[in-house]
Each structure stands twice: as C-alpha cells, then as structure tokens.
Amino acid sequence: MASLEELYREVILDHYRSPRNRRVLERSNAGADGSNPLCGDEVRVDLLIEAGVITDIGVTGHGCSISQASGSMMGDAVKAKALDEVCRLTDRFKGMMSIEGAADPGLDPERPGAVLGDLEALQGVRKFPVRIKCADLPWTTLEEALGIYESG
Ligand code: ZN
C-alpha cells in the first residue's frame, strides 16, 4: 500500500509533468515575475481580473518540481475565486507551509470541512526548509501581482 508521502509525491510529479494553466494569457490586467535565486526558480503569473474575480490565470516559468507544481496547483486553486477568497487561501497555504502551521494543515477555518485539495501534497516540503521558498514562490508572485493591481 502506498504511503501518504508516496501519494503526495505522485501528486506533485503529476502537476510538474502536466502543469495546469501553463500559458501566456491573450488578455490580462495584472501580472508579476518572481524568482528564487537560491534554487534558480522563476515564475510568471498573469491574471485577468473581472468584477473582483480572477477569471483567468496563466502560470509560466521554469525551475524545480516543487516550484512548478506549486504554481500549477495554485492556478487551479484560485481560478474563478473572488479576490478576498484568494487572500484567505494564500494565507492558509503559507500558514500550512510554515513550521507553526504543522497542526491540522488542510482545514480552512472559514469553511469547516473544506480542504486545500492537491495543495496539501506540498506540506511534506515543510521537512526541507530550503524548499519552502520554492513552494511559496508562485503565491508570493501572485500576491505581488494583486498588490500592483490594487495600487494601480
Ligand atoms: Zn526550487
């Protein structure tokens, strides 16, 4: 029987090999570039935001399996979500990835019973502090894109 860790590794590899939302958007109104020099990861996030909702997202870039899989999962997680919900999800994800977030990582306090889905597969990365930056990179880049959008 596959252990949870093996299962998580499969989920991460699946997103790495077949990334979701990996394209340059024809129409976008927000975006940012992020990089993690420690590992050589680069991520570009493009967003189409309409009436306070992320209606389309493109995540491109290159780097290690953790950073690219995290970007793929993030695209799936935030698409068609309202911006305030995206903020909560970002906090939730970063909380899960922090050492303090180790307890009960998958549950969203706003919606009891809700889970982070595939994103939970990344919690194993916590054991490798150097790689946490890899997993966080797409989310940090998303936050930057939203910050630019909101201030512009
Ligand atoms: Zn990396």
Side-chain angles (χ1 to χ4, degrees):
M1 204 177 123
S3 70
L4 193 60
E5 232 163 276
E6 283 166 3
L7 216 83
Y8 282 164
R9 196 165 59 224
E10 279 306 307
V11 172
I12 290 170
L13 282 177
D14 178 54
H15 276 272
Y16 178 57
R17 289 183 187 132
S18 331
R20 280 59 146 179
N21 307 294
R22 190 176 189 85
R23 62 206 170 83
V24 176
L25 299 185
E26 275 175 34
R27 210 155 61 85
S28 71
N29 53 11
D33 292 293
S35 68
N36 173 20
L38 280 177
C39 180
D41 306 318
E42 284 178 25
V43 168
R44 166 86 200 166
V45 175
D46 286 299
L47 304 168
L48 181 62
I49 300 169
E50 294 171 305
V53 172
I54 294 180
T55 52
D56 206 1
I57 179 166
V59 184
T60 50
H62 56 89
C64 70
S65 57
I66 302 295
S67 66
Q68 303 306 304
S70 179
S72 170
M73 293 176 194
M74 181 188 76
D76 274 356
V78 304
K79 204 169 179 177
K81 295 248 164 61
L83 295 184
D84 57 343
E85 201 176 337
V86 170
C87 280
R88 277 207 300 275
L89 199 59
T90 304
D91 288 347
R92 193 68 202 147
F93 178 76
K94 291 199 166 183
M96 179 184 87
M97 295 308 297
S98 68
I99 306 300
E100 309 84 66
D104 196 17
L107 295 174
D108 181 346
E110 302 289 330
R111 292 153 57 203
V115 293
L116 287 170
D118 281 1
L119 289 168
E120 287 184 53
L122 288 167
Q123 63 188 283
V125 172
R126 258 197 328 251
K127 280 187 273 179
F128 310 97
V130 177
R131 311 306 296 278
I132 294 175
K133 273 197 180 354
C134 303
D136 276 350
L137 176 63
W139 293 87
T140 307
T141 311
L142 172 70
E143 279 183 318
E144 202 182 314
L146 292 175
I148 295 168
Y149 174 79
E150 276 159 11
S151 69

